[in-house]
Amino acid sequence: MPGTVKSLKVTYNPINESDTFTSGDSVSGQVALEVAKDCEVDSLLVKFKGKASVLWSERHGQVTVVYSSKDKYFSIKHYLIQDKDHNNVLPPGIHIYPFTFQIPFQEMPSSFKGSVGKIVYSLEARLSRSLRIDKTDTVKIKFVSNADMSSDPQLMEPQHETKDKKMKLFNSGMVAMDVDLEKTGFCQGEGIMVVACIQNNSSRPIKPKYCLYRKHSFFARGKRRLDTKDLLKEVGEPIPPSASEKVTRVITIPHDLEPSILNCSILKAEYRVRVNLDVKYATDPEIKFNIIILPAAQVAASAPPPAASGFGFEPSGNTSSPWGTVPAPPAAAAPQPLDPPPPYDAYGMYPTMTDSGKIF
């Protein structure tokens, strides 16, 4: 026998082609409630929240230890039907409740999903009825932190490292490399130019190898969980013995690669460029560079998003909220999608590279 409530669905309206949001944007949508017959409702609400969480377990002998941590950024509730409303009986059919939230004007990390941690921004609809289990529906939105690369000089700083190695056993002589990166910060889809001056004073040919890899770190209860993965690998032309060459390689960052996350207290998403010389019968000398990947500039849709009305829009004419009446902001104060974002250094978002300790 079918129940009284046939479906509960929460959806949102995209504001650009990439279907992303950032601080200050308005998030509008609808809650659709379909009932098969008269339905008495205690409350119907929509919640907008953002949080990070990590969770993993480790086996120590006969004991399993669970490590977990959470970091909450915001949580906003808006009641579409409240307990104090009278005669909350909905007739059969589909009932649509529009809403609008505004993402807080604060610095927050981008959406993220890793092996044991995630950063999620979501909308949740919750229907409560007397003597029944609450019915819920959730949809995630993709949040991207504001990024203004030109505002932080550190991101434009070039990087330089040298490495040499004396050959032993089945090889003789020495190899050395002097490697430069044009800068530290790169956008999604951008090319990383690696310039290397390589000296091969050994008795065998050598090959330069390049790798872009990511490093995810998760933190809980004083412990760190590390997860690394090679993303792109490239091999250069061989350099013969007793020769020196200057080689240039451009490594293109994938357009869909997640941005660096360095502004979350319980997880980090970092990137490295590794350059090494492939030497037969010897340990390969290598150099690692820290790089920061920034989100590509977002192009807003031609139609501007609707202005936020406090914490949400009440379709039934009830202008009350859990915090009292919230007046709508003036039209001039509505956020503009192409406004320049705040500079990184305003929040101390990125640590100094020399303070990051050992490079993995």
Side-chain angles (χ1 to χ4, degrees), residues 30 56 75 90 106 169 191 222 232 234 236 242 256 267 291 322 325:
Q30 306 83 30
W56 78 90
S75 181
L90 302 179
Q106 64 188 58
L169 297 177
L232 295 173
E234 298 185 13
S242 303
D256 58 351
L267 65 83
I291 66 167
T325 301

Side-chain angles (χ1 to χ4, degrees), residues 2 24 78 99 115 135 154 325 330 340:
H78 178 66
F99 61 83
S115 59
K135 190 174 183 64
Q154 178 187 343
T325 301

Side-chain angles (χ1 to χ4, degrees), residues 34-294:
E34 183 177 4
V35 295
K37 54 186 177 181
D38 286 352
C39 177
E40 186 173 355
V41 175
D42 286 346
S43 66
L44 176 63
L45 65 84
V46 58
K47 180 192 290 186
F48 186 31
K49 59 184 178 180
K51 69 175 183 178
S53 61
V54 299
L55 174 65
W56 78 90
S57 62
E58 296 179 5
R59 188 78 175 174
H60 300 281
Q62 300 298 317
V63 178
T64 299
V65 181
V66 177
Y67 297 90
S68 65
S69 186
K70 292 183 180 181
D71 195 1
K72 296 182 180 180
Y73 303 117
F74 65 89
S75 181
I76 308 169
K77 286 183 181 179
H78 178 66
Y79 283 87
L80 306 170
I81 300 175
Q82 291 184 278
D83 296 335
K84 63 182 180 180
D85 294 341
H86 298 291
N87 193 27
N88 296 331
V89 177
L90 302 179
I94 299 175
H95 303 266
I96 304 297
Y97 300 87
F99 61 83
T100 297
F101 289 105
Q102 186 175 41
I103 300 176
F105 282 97
Q106 64 188 58
E107 193 272 316
M108 297 177 291
S110 299
S111 297
F112 169 85
K113 183 173 177 57
S115 59
V116 297
K118 57 187 177 180
I119 301 174
V120 177
Y121 298 85
S122 63
L123 294 159
E124 178 188 283
R126 179 177 294 271
L127 174 67
S128 297
R129 295 184 295 155
S130 179
L131 303 177
R132 289 174 174 79
I133 298 175
D134 288 357
K135 190 174 183 64
T136 63
D137 185 58
T138 302
V139 62
K140 298 176 183 177
I141 71 165
K142 186 176 181 180
F143 177 84
V144 177
S145 288
N146 286 328
D148 183 5
M149 184 172 168
S150 62
S151 67
D152 190 346
Q154 178 187 343
L155 299 179
M156 299 301 296
E157 288 181 359
Q159 300 190 61
H160 174 82
E161 293 288 343
T162 61
K163 190 83 171 182
D164 58 57
K165 183 177 179 63
K166 187 175 182 180
M167 300 295 100
K168 298 179 181 179
L169 297 177
F170 302 105
N171 209 336
S172 61
M174 177 179 290
V175 297
M177 57 178 167
D178 191 301
V179 186
D180 289 281
L181 254 63
E182 56 181 329
K183 55 186 178 180
T184 300
F186 299 87
C187 290
Q188 294 165 320
E190 189 176 358
I192 304 171
M193 181 179 293
V194 182
V195 180
C197 296
I198 301 173
Q199 291 183 336
N200 183 11
N201 295 323
S202 71
S203 56
R204 295 180 182 273
I206 59 176
K207 287 183 181 179
K209 291 186 174 182
Y210 311 86
C211 178
L212 171 64
Y213 69 100
R214 60 114 168 112
K215 185 179 80 168
H216 290 171
S217 301
F218 308 94
F219 307 93
R221 297 175 57 186
K223 292 274 290 186
R224 182 179 75 157
R225 175 76 171 262
L226 184 63
D227 181 18
T228 61
K229 181 181 180 181
D230 293 344
L231 302 175
L232 295 173
K233 289 184 176 181
E234 298 185 13
V235 180
E237 295 297 322
I239 298 174
S242 303
S244 297
E245 291 187 16
K246 182 178 181 179
V247 296
T248 300
R249 173 72 58 160
V250 177
I251 304 171
T252 302
I253 301 170
H255 288 273
D256 58 351
L257 193 63
E258 64 192 17
S260 298
I261 296 177
L262 302 174
N263 57 338
C264 178
S265 63
I266 61 174
L267 65 83
K268 293 186 183 299
E270 301 171 280
Y271 292 92
R272 306 280 188 268
V273 171
R274 181 175 66 238
V275 183
N276 68 282
L277 300 177
D278 185 13
V279 183
K280 287 188 176 181
Y281 310 115
T283 303
D284 295 348
E286 66 178 25
I287 292 174
K288 296 177 181 179
F289 294 98
N290 300 281
I291 66 167
I292 296 171
I293 295 181
L294 307 169

